[in-house]
Amino acid sequence: MSSSRLDTRTLKEEVASMDKRWLVDLGHPLVNRVADSFIRAAGVGAARAVSREAYFVTVEGLGGDTAGLDNAVKRSNFSRGDDGQKSLDAVVKSAGKEAFQWGLAAGVYSGLTYGLREARGCHDWKNSAVAGAMAGVAVALTGDTGNADHMVHFAITGAALSSAASLLSGIY
């Protein structure tokens, strides 16, 4: 039996093959990369938002202590609504916003690293730092506070994380 059959593939083989195929084919490698990164990261962002809301509903339902949590993160959209529909709408809005933020960051980062690699002829920590900084700014612009200090903080954080990941990827 061939390992290419879907019913005999292991989880490891399935995950490894995800890097070899695009979710959508839009005809250009840059557009494919940006769209693919956006879709995959948006799914992760939405799942994170929904799981966070479920956690807070569970903690509040059990009478747990949320005093140590940040007030901006601590809120539960389910407990804010007057009825179930308003609460569900708030969760969907939160999940949509977070999906957009994660997808935008991934799309900007992926597109910039591809473009810089094509323009400079190499992929190094400098490309990663620039792409990380721009992805950080994109996330800061979609956040609740869009002041200059917030954007600089996110740009520095994005550049630092991205360049560190690029440098460490050569070691491991």
Side-chain angles (χ1 to χ4, degrees):
M1 261 189 199
S2 170
S3 65
S4 64
R5 287 193 45 194
L6 292 178
D7 58 342
T8 61
R9 293 175 72 169
T10 65
L11 178 62
K12 180 181 173 186
E13 291 171 338
E14 184 64 29
V15 170
S17 72
M18 287 178 71
D19 289 337
K20 298 175 185 165
R21 63 178 188 261
W22 302 109
L23 292 175
V24 292
D25 186 7
L26 300 173
H28 190 276
L30 174 62
V31 179
N32 288 347
R33 178 179 300 267
V34 170
D36 190 62
S37 297
F38 183 93
I39 291 167
R40 290 176 194 237
V44 171
R48 179 186 178 274
V50 170
S51 65
R52 182 184 62 236
E53 295 300 327
Y55 167 77
F56 288 124
V57 167
T58 304
V59 168
E60 289 174 1
L62 296 174
D65 181 25
T66 60
L69 298 173
D70 182 15
N71 284 335
V73 177
K74 177 163 72 169
R75 69 190 190 285
S76 173
N77 288 323
F78 281 120
S79 64
R80 270 195 274 147
D82 296 334
D83 62 2
Q85 185 60 41
K86 287 184 182 177
S87 298
L88 183 60
D89 290 346
V91 170
V92 169
K93 182 179 176 185
S94 172
K97 179 181 177 183
E98 198 150 339
F100 178 74
Q101 286 176 321
W102 281 60
L104 179 65
V108 166
Y109 181 81
S110 181
L112 281 172
T113 54
Y114 177 83
L116 288 169
R117 183 178 60 233
E118 292 295 313
R120 294 184 64 226
C122 67
H123 177 71
D124 57 2
W125 68 271
K126 296 172 195 172
N127 292 0
S128 294
V130 170
M134 292 298 107
V137 168
V139 171
L141 288 172
T142 61
D144 295 333
T145 59
N147 61 19
D149 291 339
H150 198 225
M151 287 189 286
V152 170
H153 173 77
F154 273 55
I156 291 170
T157 303
L161 288 173
S162 179
S163 57
S166 178
L167 290 171
L168 290 174
S169 68
I171 294 173
Y172 296 103

